[in-house]
Amino acid sequence: MNIKAAQEELCSSYANGAIGVAVSGVVWLASGIAALGLDVRLAMAVLFFGGMAIHPLSTLIVRQILKRPAVSPDNSLEMIGLLTVPVILLGLFAGYLVSGDKPAWFFAIALMAVGARFLTFKTIYGLSHYIVLGFALLAIGFVGIWLAFPSGDLIAIAGGTIELIAAASLWSARPKAAV
């Protein structure tokens, strides 16, 4: 399977990745709200455990609700998404290590890791939306650290909001086939 065909199949199967980005946006918003009104450690747990649910939940939605077909076994691009998961895990780990002194950095570093991972989605889906999304999330995380935000709530809420906007843009992008 050539790269263009592989990208088109992934766009069709995962609705341009819009559902996964939307679910991720909701997780970030939930984490930000928890950081805003509750406890920062709870907000970290919401982000960690909610993050673990993003792929299963978005796959459930695209397969069961949107009735999208699974990706064929010979499509090697799907593996890139799996192989880049450690980037997020490293971001969460690094963020957690510094969170004792600087709790906002947990959210900033985790958001930058997510942004870095989204840059690879340009290759997976062939959509430039992911370059814009990735750099937007990297910028939010960087600004949160640079300006020494005292809390991660604004970082998480901003990241979640950007992801929801990106999800809407991805959903409305070129035809996704098999609707």
Side-chain angles (χ1 to χ4, degrees), residues 89-100:
L89 297 176
L90 287 171
L92 289 169
F93 180 67
Y96 182 75
L97 288 178
V98 300
S99 69

Side-chain angles (χ1 to χ4, degrees), residues 12-78:
S12 175
S13 181
Y14 288 106
N16 292 342
I19 304 303
V21 175
V23 172
S24 179
V26 169
V27 168
W28 276 98
L29 285 176
S31 179
I33 291 167
L36 184 65
L38 301 171
D39 177 75
V40 70
R41 296 289 176 199
L42 174 64
M44 291 176 185
V46 167
L47 188 59
F48 179 76
F49 292 109
M52 290 187 342
I54 293 168
H55 183 68
L57 185 55
S58 60
T59 300
L60 177 73
I61 292 168
V62 296
R63 298 288 175 269
Q64 300 302 315
I65 297 172
L66 298 178
K67 303 295 185 195
R68 298 299 173 98
V71 176
S72 62
D74 60 330
N75 189 329
S76 58
L77 288 181
E78 188 175 34

Side-chain angles (χ1 to χ4, degrees), residues 28 31 35 40 43-44 47 103-112 152 155-156:
W28 276 98
S31 179
V40 70
M44 291 176 185
L47 188 59
W105 283 27
F106 170 81
F107 300 96
I109 293 168
L111 191 63
M112 288 189 290
I155 296 167

Side-chain angles (χ1 to χ4, degrees), residues 25 28-29 111 133 137 140 154-164:
W28 276 98
L29 285 176
L111 191 63
L133 174 58
L137 298 181
I140 292 167
L154 292 177
I155 296 167
I157 290 169
T161 301
I162 293 295
E163 284 192 339
L164 290 176

